[in-house]
Amino acid sequence: MSQPRTVAVIVGSLRKDSVTRKVARAIEALAPPHLKFDEIPIGDLPLYNQDSESDPPPADVAFRDRVRAADAVLFATPEYNRSVPGGLKNALDVGSRPYGHSVWNGKPAAVVSVSPGAIGGFGANHHLRQSLVFLNMPVLQQPEAYVGNAFSLFDENGELVNEATAEFLRAFAQTFADWIEQTAPAAAR
Amino acid sequence: MSQPRTVAVIVGSLRKDSVTRKVARAIEALAPPHLKFDEIPIGDLPLYNQDSESDPPPADVAFRDRVRAADAVLFATPEYNRSVPGGLKNALDVGSRPYGHSVWNGKPAAVVSVSPGAIGGFGANHHLRQSLVFLNMPVLQQPEAYVGNAFSLFDENGELVNEATAEFLRAFAQTFADWIEQTAPAAAR
């Protein structure tokens, strides 16, 4: 049996009833049981300002500590204006600083983008991937996860009712679990 | 003589001593005198949350009103993690909502990216441009403005001391002024 792995979950939408969060929850439910998920909220992080680096806001310190403790990161993002939400990008920026102390560095990652429309958040998904290159996170390449028409996939209780999507997300979660074992820093193996 | 035009200036860095702001100020100083510049701060905008749309934060309302009053927008952005800062993306998101009431719609825009390194913020510049497509802002295409090695361009008083950069920014500002006349909504002509 695989050893337990903690996966930080970063959800890009701040809405309480976010469909992006529902997709993240569905992935968690369908994933192999040795993956333990920890959604880390990003809504209370102040906008990153380099002038605060010598005396960082307590919310930044707590956020960085919690990401640092994770073995891997799952990013679940909606698309705002063909990119990631400002709040999600801000969380990336906060975690990346100060220079040389990024909490993202080297952690295996996966990206799922979610949208009510047909394109499935492609613009957000790939903008995020460009930042993850710089942040040196080995990102799961395949299967890509663009979840479109997202409102139609859940019932009124937030349960995933689309069987094809469930099968896809189960495979996505399993492949991500394998990817974590392959790419986790040697110290964590 | 051209009629006066108000250009909203959105600076992506929140640092007090931001070199990106220095570049924006240099453009303002070199621009034709009928352009009036108004830097609209973005650092106090809460992270966009759709749950607040029915009762928007006062900072959002004030920001939207001030952008709405402008004839055009100059975006000056540093690059954070190969993209725009979260704070700048958040300002775009705030201004774009609620649906159908985006304050960006149709306004002529220009983008200058600024970095201490050699690439001149190319990643941020083009991520921003992708969002501006969706936001339906006619963006000045040429000359592209990637200002690299930015710390070397200013003296200790924040004065632009690189003559080639000054010439470039003067031409950039003039072309932007022409672009505004060409593309401003008919009602503003």
Side-chain angles (χ1 to χ4, degrees):
Chain A
M1 197 186 129
S2 309
Q3 63 171 298
R5 298 288 189 187
T6 304
V7 179
V9 180
I10 308 289
V11 175
S13 167
L14 306 185
R15 283 181 65 208
K16 217 162 62 172
D17 196 35
S18 156
V19 69
T20 303
R21 179 171 296 105
K22 287 177 193 165
V23 170
R25 289 282 173 282
I27 292 171
E28 295 172 23
L30 293 162
H34 72 281
L35 295 188
K36 310 295 174 195
F37 293 90
D38 177 33
E39 183 184 338
I40 307 183
I42 62 173
D44 290 335
L45 294 175
L47 294 178
Y48 172 78
N49 183 338
Q50 197 182 339
D51 288 338
S52 312
E53 278 203 348
S54 57
D55 185 20
D60 289 15
V61 176
F63 177 77
R64 289 166 180 152
D65 287 346
R66 206 158 147 190
V67 175
R68 205 181 280 112
D71 296 303
V73 183
L74 171 66
F75 294 98
T77 185
E79 180 170 288
Y80 290 0
N81 302 310
R82 301 289 178 240
S83 183
V84 296
L88 172 54
K89 181 54 170 51
N90 185 60
L92 285 184
D93 295 343
V94 168
S96 74
R97 300 289 303 184
Y99 182 77
H101 297 272
S102 168
V103 296
W104 309 112
N105 187 41
K107 285 195 200 299
V111 175
V112 56
S113 55
V114 179
S115 116
I119 307 175
F122 181 91
N125 192 308
H126 283 263
H127 271 197
L128 181 51
R129 284 173 185 268
Q130 179 161 308
S131 290
L132 301 185
V133 171
F134 185 76
L135 293 169
N136 191 34
M137 303 183 81
V139 183
L140 180 68
Q141 302 291 65
Q142 294 292 335
E144 300 156 87
Y146 312 107
V147 178
N149 303 307
F151 291 150
S152 71
L153 306 175
F154 296 88
D155 67 14
E156 65 269 25
N157 301 315
E159 294 297 318
L160 181 60
V161 291
N162 184 296
E163 193 48 48
T165 302
E167 274 317 299
F168 172 78
L169 293 179
R170 190 193 316 276
F172 177 81
Q174 179 62 58
T175 315
F176 184 34
D178 296 343
W179 179 246
I180 293 170
E181 296 312 309
Q182 253 186 288
T183 60
R189 274 180 214 146
Chain B
M1 196 188 133
S2 311
Q3 63 171 298
R5 297 289 189 187
T6 305
V7 179
V9 180
I10 307 288
V11 174
S13 168
L14 305 186
R15 282 182 65 208
K16 215 160 64 170
D17 198 35
S18 156
V19 69
T20 302
R21 180 171 294 105
K22 288 177 190 164
V23 171
R25 289 281 173 281
I27 292 170
E28 296 173 21
L30 294 162
H34 72 281
L35 296 187
K36 309 296 174 196
F37 292 89
D38 177 33
E39 183 184 338
I40 307 183
I42 61 173
D44 290 336
L45 295 175
L47 294 178
Y48 172 75
N49 183 337
Q50 198 184 337
D51 288 337
S52 311
E53 279 203 347
S54 56
D55 185 22
D60 289 15
V61 175
F63 177 78
R64 290 167 180 153
D65 286 347
R66 208 160 146 188
V67 174
R68 205 181 280 112
D71 296 303
V73 184
L74 171 65
F75 293 98
T77 185
E79 179 170 288
Y80 290 179
N81 302 310
R82 299 290 178 241
S83 183
V84 296
L88 173 52
K89 181 53 169 52
N90 184 59
L92 286 184
D93 295 341
V94 168
S96 73
R97 299 290 303 186
Y99 182 78
H101 297 271
S102 169
V103 297
W104 309 111
N105 187 42
K107 286 194 200 299
V111 175
V112 56
S113 55
V114 180
S115 116
I119 307 177
F122 181 92
N125 193 307
H126 283 264
H127 270 197
L128 181 52
R129 284 173 186 269
Q130 179 161 308
S131 291
L132 301 186
V133 172
F134 185 75
L135 293 168
N136 191 34
M137 304 184 80
V139 184
L140 180 68
Q141 301 291 65
Q142 293 294 333
E144 299 156 88
Y146 313 106
V147 178
N149 303 306
F151 291 149
S152 72
L153 305 175
F154 296 88
D155 68 13
E156 65 270 23
N157 302 314
E159 294 296 319
L160 181 61
V161 292
N162 184 296
E163 194 47 45
T165 301
E167 276 316 301
F168 172 77
L169 294 180
R170 190 193 316 276
F172 177 80
Q174 180 61 58
T175 315
F176 184 34
D178 297 343
W179 178 246
I180 293 169
E181 297 312 310
Q182 254 185 288
T183 60
R189 274 183 212 143

mmCIF file of all heavy atoms in Angstrom, chain B residues 11-40:
data_model
loop_
_atom_site.group_PDB
_atom_site.id
_atom_site.type_symbol
_atom_site.label_atom_id
_atom_site.label_comp_id
_atom_site.label_asym_id
_atom_site.label_seq_id
_atom_site.Cartn_x
_atom_site.Cartn_y
_atom_site.Cartn_z
ATOM 1 N N VAL B 11 -1.313 50.651 -12.615
ATOM 2 C CA VAL B 11 0.043 50.175 -12.358
ATOM 3 C C VAL B 11 -0.054 48.866 -11.575
ATOM 4 O O VAL B 11 -0.684 48.806 -10.517
ATOM 5 C CB VAL B 11 0.857 51.224 -11.570
ATOM 6 C CG1 VAL B 11 2.230 50.669 -11.185
ATOM 7 C CG2 VAL B 11 1.002 52.494 -12.393
ATOM 8 N N GLY B 12 0.569 47.822 -12.094
ATOM 9 C CA GLY B 12 0.409 46.490 -11.523
ATOM 10 C C GLY B 12 1.159 46.235 -10.236
ATOM 11 O O GLY B 12 0.852 45.283 -9.523
ATOM 12 N N SER B 13 2.130 47.059 -9.912
ATOM 13 C CA SER B 13 2.896 46.853 -8.687
ATOM 14 C C SER B 13 2.356 47.733 -7.577
ATOM 15 O O SER B 13 1.976 48.880 -7.813
ATOM 16 C CB SER B 13 4.361 47.200 -8.935
ATOM 17 O OG SER B 13 5.061 47.282 -7.704
ATOM 18 N N LEU B 14 2.335 47.204 -6.362
ATOM 19 C CA LEU B 14 1.855 47.992 -5.215
ATOM 20 C C LEU B 14 2.997 48.635 -4.444
ATOM 21 O O LEU B 14 2.762 49.379 -3.498
ATOM 22 C CB LEU B 14 1.031 47.096 -4.273
ATOM 23 C CG LEU B 14 -0.140 46.354 -4.928
ATOM 24 C CD1 LEU B 14 -0.958 45.616 -3.871
ATOM 25 C CD2 LEU B 14 -1.033 47.307 -5.714
ATOM 26 N N ARG B 15 4.231 48.344 -4.818
ATOM 27 C CA ARG B 15 5.397 48.939 -4.136
ATOM 28 C C ARG B 15 5.371 50.458 -4.249
ATOM 29 O O ARG B 15 5.108 51.001 -5.324
ATOM 30 C CB ARG B 15 6.696 48.471 -4.800
ATOM 31 C CG ARG B 15 7.126 47.090 -4.440
ATOM 32 C CD ARG B 15 8.440 46.797 -5.141
ATOM 33 N NE ARG B 15 9.511 47.668 -4.650
ATOM 34 C CZ ARG B 15 10.565 48.051 -5.358
ATOM 35 N NH1 ARG B 15 10.683 47.654 -6.611
ATOM 36 N NH2 ARG B 15 11.481 48.829 -4.820
ATOM 37 N N LYS B 16 5.769 51.118 -3.166
ATOM 38 C CA LYS B 16 5.799 52.579 -3.200
ATOM 39 C C LYS B 16 6.831 53.065 -4.222
ATOM 40 O O LYS B 16 6.592 53.993 -4.982
ATOM 41 C CB LYS B 16 6.170 53.096 -1.794
ATOM 42 C CG LYS B 16 5.487 54.377 -1.450
ATOM 43 C CD LYS B 16 5.453 54.647 0.046
ATOM 44 C CE LYS B 16 6.851 54.830 0.617
ATOM 45 N NZ LYS B 16 6.796 55.316 2.017
ATOM 46 N N ASP B 17 7.974 52.398 -4.232
ATOM 47 C CA ASP B 17 9.080 52.847 -5.079
ATOM 48 C C ASP B 17 9.134 52.067 -6.405
ATOM 49 O O ASP B 17 10.205 51.910 -6.996
ATOM 50 C CB ASP B 17 10.386 52.661 -4.291
ATOM 51 C CG ASP B 17 11.510 53.481 -4.900
ATOM 52 O OD1 ASP B 17 11.240 54.592 -5.400
ATOM 53 O OD2 ASP B 17 12.660 52.987 -4.881
ATOM 54 N N SER B 18 7.997 51.627 -6.870
ATOM 55 C CA SER B 18 7.916 50.742 -8.033
ATOM 56 C C SER B 18 8.568 51.330 -9.291
ATOM 57 O O SER B 18 8.259 52.453 -9.711
ATOM 58 C CB SER B 18 6.436 50.464 -8.317
ATOM 59 O OG SER B 18 6.238 50.100 -9.661
ATOM 60 N N VAL B 19 9.441 50.544 -9.904
ATOM 61 C CA VAL B 19 10.057 50.990 -11.153
ATOM 62 C C VAL B 19 9.045 50.965 -12.301
ATOM 63 O O VAL B 19 9.164 51.723 -13.271
ATOM 64 C CB VAL B 19 11.325 50.156 -11.473
ATOM 65 C CG1 VAL B 19 10.956 48.721 -11.848
ATOM 66 C CG2 VAL B 19 12.151 50.791 -12.580
ATOM 67 N N THR B 20 8.037 50.116 -12.166
ATOM 68 C CA THR B 20 6.964 50.100 -13.173
ATOM 69 C C THR B 20 6.224 51.436 -13.172
ATOM 70 O O THR B 20 5.893 51.990 -14.232
ATOM 71 C CB THR B 20 5.982 48.941 -12.873
ATOM 72 O OG1 THR B 20 6.707 47.718 -12.862
ATOM 73 C CG2 THR B 20 4.882 48.863 -13.917
ATOM 74 N N ARG B 21 5.973 51.966 -11.987
ATOM 75 C CA ARG B 21 5.320 53.286 -11.904
ATOM 76 C C ARG B 21 6.222 54.375 -12.495
ATOM 77 O O ARG B 21 5.739 55.309 -13.137
ATOM 78 C CB ARG B 21 4.958 53.617 -10.461
ATOM 79 C CG ARG B 21 4.262 55.000 -10.330
ATOM 80 C CD ARG B 21 3.686 55.258 -8.940
ATOM 81 N NE ARG B 21 2.609 54.345 -8.646
ATOM 82 C CZ ARG B 21 2.679 53.298 -7.838
ATOM 83 N NH1 ARG B 21 3.803 53.045 -7.192
ATOM 84 N NH2 ARG B 21 1.654 52.508 -7.657
ATOM 85 N N LYS B 22 7.518 54.239 -12.279
ATOM 86 C CA LYS B 22 8.433 55.233 -12.865
ATOM 87 C C LYS B 22 8.330 55.240 -14.388
ATOM 88 O O LYS B 22 8.373 56.302 -15.022
ATOM 89 C CB LYS B 22 9.878 54.948 -12.436
ATOM 90 C CG LYS B 22 10.151 55.281 -10.976
ATOM 91 C CD LYS B 22 11.579 54.923 -10.586
ATOM 92 C CE LYS B 22 11.739 55.025 -9.069
ATOM 93 N NZ LYS B 22 12.964 54.345 -8.586
ATOM 94 N N VAL B 23 8.204 54.061 -14.964
ATOM 95 C CA VAL B 23 8.047 54.000 -16.419
ATOM 96 C C VAL B 23 6.723 54.651 -16.837
ATOM 97 O O VAL B 23 6.672 55.419 -17.813
ATOM 98 C CB VAL B 23 8.138 52.537 -16.920
ATOM 99 C CG1 VAL B 23 7.750 52.441 -18.395
ATOM 100 C CG2 VAL B 23 9.550 51.994 -16.698
ATOM 101 N N ALA B 24 5.657 54.368 -16.078
ATOM 102 C CA ALA B 24 4.366 54.997 -16.390
ATOM 103 C C ALA B 24 4.488 56.520 -16.308
ATOM 104 O O ALA B 24 4.006 57.245 -17.191
ATOM 105 C CB ALA B 24 3.282 54.481 -15.442
ATOM 106 N N ARG B 25 5.150 57.010 -15.270
ATOM 107 C CA ARG B 25 5.319 58.460 -15.107
ATOM 108 C C ARG B 25 6.128 59.060 -16.259
ATOM 109 O O ARG B 25 5.854 60.171 -16.725
ATOM 110 C CB ARG B 25 6.047 58.765 -13.799
ATOM 111 C CG ARG B 25 5.270 58.518 -12.561
ATOM 112 C CD ARG B 25 4.268 59.634 -12.260
ATOM 113 N NE ARG B 25 3.440 59.247 -11.133
ATOM 114 C CZ ARG B 25 2.408 58.410 -11.208
ATOM 115 N NH1 ARG B 25 2.020 57.893 -12.366
ATOM 116 N NH2 ARG B 25 1.720 58.102 -10.123
ATOM 117 N N ALA B 26 7.124 58.320 -16.709
ATOM 118 C CA ALA B 26 7.936 58.799 -17.828
ATOM 119 C C ALA B 26 7.088 58.915 -19.090
ATOM 120 O O ALA B 26 7.189 59.894 -19.847
ATOM 121 C CB ALA B 26 9.125 57.867 -18.060
ATOM 122 N N ILE B 27 6.235 57.923 -19.322
ATOM 123 C CA ILE B 27 5.342 57.990 -20.487
ATOM 124 C C ILE B 27 4.432 59.208 -20.382
ATOM 125 O O ILE B 27 4.233 59.952 -21.360
ATOM 126 C CB ILE B 27 4.518 56.684 -20.613
ATOM 127 C CG1 ILE B 27 5.445 55.519 -20.972
ATOM 128 C CG2 ILE B 27 3.397 56.828 -21.632
ATOM 129 C CD1 ILE B 27 4.789 54.149 -20.890
ATOM 130 N N GLU B 28 3.894 59.429 -19.185
ATOM 131 C CA GLU B 28 3.012 60.589 -18.984
ATOM 132 C C GLU B 28 3.742 61.888 -19.330
ATOM 133 O O GLU B 28 3.190 62.777 -19.991
ATOM 134 C CB GLU B 28 2.529 60.621 -17.528
ATOM 135 C CG GLU B 28 1.662 59.426 -17.144
ATOM 136 C CD GLU B 28 1.335 59.376 -15.651
ATOM 137 O OE1 GLU B 28 1.423 60.415 -14.972
ATOM 138 O OE2 GLU B 28 0.988 58.282 -15.177
ATOM 139 N N ALA B 29 4.991 61.991 -18.867
ATOM 140 C CA ALA B 29 5.750 63.233 -19.074
ATOM 141 C C ALA B 29 6.103 63.444 -20.547
ATOM 142 O O ALA B 29 6.262 64.585 -21.000
ATOM 143 C CB ALA B 29 7.020 63.209 -18.225
ATOM 144 N N LEU B 30 6.228 62.344 -21.294
ATOM 145 C CA LEU B 30 6.649 62.436 -22.695
ATOM 146 C C LEU B 30 5.473 62.496 -23.659
ATOM 147 O O LEU B 30 5.664 62.682 -24.870
ATOM 148 C CB LEU B 30 7.532 61.234 -23.043
ATOM 149 C CG LEU B 30 8.888 61.172 -22.312
ATOM 150 C CD1 LEU B 30 9.473 59.756 -22.370
ATOM 151 C CD2 LEU B 30 9.871 62.178 -22.914
ATOM 152 N N ALA B 31 4.264 62.332 -23.147
ATOM 153 C CA ALA B 31 3.084 62.228 -24.016
ATOM 154 C C ALA B 31 2.639 63.603 -24.512
ATOM 155 O O ALA B 31 2.959 64.631 -23.907
ATOM 156 C CB ALA B 31 1.945 61.549 -23.256
ATOM 157 N N PRO B 32 1.885 63.634 -25.607
ATOM 158 C CA PRO B 32 1.308 64.899 -26.076
ATOM 159 C C PRO B 32 0.440 65.508 -24.960
ATOM 160 O O PRO B 32 -0.224 64.776 -24.225
ATOM 161 C CB PRO B 32 0.428 64.470 -27.268
ATOM 162 C CG PRO B 32 0.852 63.103 -27.631
ATOM 163 C CD PRO B 32 1.504 62.483 -26.455
ATOM 164 N N PRO B 33 0.441 66.833 -24.861
ATOM 165 C CA PRO B 33 -0.192 67.489 -23.706
ATOM 166 C C PRO B 33 -1.713 67.352 -23.636
ATOM 167 O O PRO B 33 -2.274 67.601 -22.572
ATOM 168 C CB PRO B 33 0.218 68.963 -23.869
ATOM 169 C CG PRO B 33 0.675 69.107 -25.275
ATOM 170 C CD PRO B 33 1.134 67.774 -25.748
ATOM 171 N N HIS B 34 -2.375 66.945 -24.718
ATOM 172 C CA HIS B 34 -3.838 66.803 -24.602
ATOM 173 C C HIS B 34 -4.244 65.526 -23.873
ATOM 174 O O HIS B 34 -5.408 65.326 -23.559
ATOM 175 C CB HIS B 34 -4.510 66.874 -25.978
ATOM 176 C CG HIS B 34 -4.282 65.650 -26.822
ATOM 177 N ND1 HIS B 34 -3.115 65.413 -27.514
ATOM 178 C CD2 HIS B 34 -5.079 64.582 -27.083
ATOM 179 C CE1 HIS B 34 -3.205 64.267 -28.167
ATOM 180 N NE2 HIS B 34 -4.378 63.747 -27.922
ATOM 181 N N LEU B 35 -3.267 64.641 -23.604
ATOM 182 C CA LEU B 35 -3.574 63.457 -22.789
ATOM 183 C C LEU B 35 -3.424 63.802 -21.314
ATOM 184 O O LEU B 35 -2.361 64.270 -20.881
ATOM 185 C CB LEU B 35 -2.651 62.286 -23.143
ATOM 186 C CG LEU B 35 -2.735 61.698 -24.549
ATOM 187 C CD1 LEU B 35 -1.873 60.435 -24.656
ATOM 188 C CD2 LEU B 35 -4.172 61.394 -24.966
ATOM 189 N N LYS B 36 -4.486 63.574 -20.547
ATOM 190 C CA LYS B 36 -4.459 63.813 -19.105
ATOM 191 C C LYS B 36 -4.480 62.458 -18.413
ATOM 192 O O LYS B 36 -5.392 61.651 -18.660
ATOM 193 C CB LYS B 36 -5.688 64.621 -18.664
ATOM 194 C CG LYS B 36 -5.940 65.885 -19.470
ATOM 195 C CD LYS B 36 -4.813 66.898 -19.323
ATOM 196 C CE LYS B 36 -4.990 68.105 -20.259
ATOM 197 N NZ LYS B 36 -3.736 68.888 -20.390
ATOM 198 N N PHE B 37 -3.491 62.196 -17.576
ATOM 199 C CA PHE B 37 -3.352 60.867 -16.977
ATOM 200 C C PHE B 37 -3.893 60.841 -15.550
ATOM 201 O O PHE B 37 -3.703 61.794 -14.779
ATOM 202 C CB PHE B 37 -1.887 60.438 -16.993
ATOM 203 C CG PHE B 37 -1.361 60.189 -18.384
ATOM 204 C CD1 PHE B 37 -0.793 61.224 -19.132
ATOM 205 C CD2 PHE B 37 -1.460 58.931 -18.955
ATOM 206 C CE1 PHE B 37 -0.324 60.999 -20.419
ATOM 207 C CE2 PHE B 37 -0.991 58.700 -20.245
ATOM 208 C CZ PHE B 37 -0.415 59.730 -20.978
ATOM 209 N N ASP B 38 -4.553 59.745 -15.211
ATOM 210 C CA ASP B 38 -5.138 59.569 -13.878
ATOM 211 C C ASP B 38 -4.800 58.180 -13.379
ATOM 212 O O ASP B 38 -5.422 57.193 -13.804
ATOM 213 C CB ASP B 38 -6.667 59.745 -13.975
ATOM 214 C CG ASP B 38 -7.374 59.505 -12.645
ATOM 215 O OD1 ASP B 38 -6.776 59.820 -11.591
ATOM 216 O OD2 ASP B 38 -8.533 59.028 -12.661
ATOM 217 N N GLU B 39 -3.792 58.054 -12.511
ATOM 218 C CA GLU B 39 -3.488 56.721 -11.972
ATOM 219 C C GLU B 39 -4.565 56.311 -10.981
ATOM 220 O O GLU B 39 -4.838 57.013 -10.004
ATOM 221 C CB GLU B 39 -2.110 56.659 -11.298
ATOM 222 C CG GLU B 39 -1.850 55.210 -10.833
ATOM 223 C CD GLU B 39 -0.556 54.993 -10.061
ATOM 224 O OE1 GLU B 39 0.378 55.799 -10.186
ATOM 225 O OE2 GLU B 39 -0.500 53.984 -9.321
ATOM 226 N N ILE B 40 -5.167 55.172 -11.246
ATOM 227 C CA ILE B 40 -6.245 54.664 -10.392
ATOM 228 C C ILE B 40 -5.681 53.524 -9.553
ATOM 229 O O ILE B 40 -5.299 52.487 -10.092
ATOM 230 C CB ILE B 40 -7.441 54.182 -11.239
ATOM 231 C CG1 ILE B 40 -7.882 55.304 -12.197
ATOM 232 C CG2 ILE B 40 -8.589 53.745 -10.338
ATOM 233 C CD1 ILE B 40 -9.098 54.974 -13.045
#
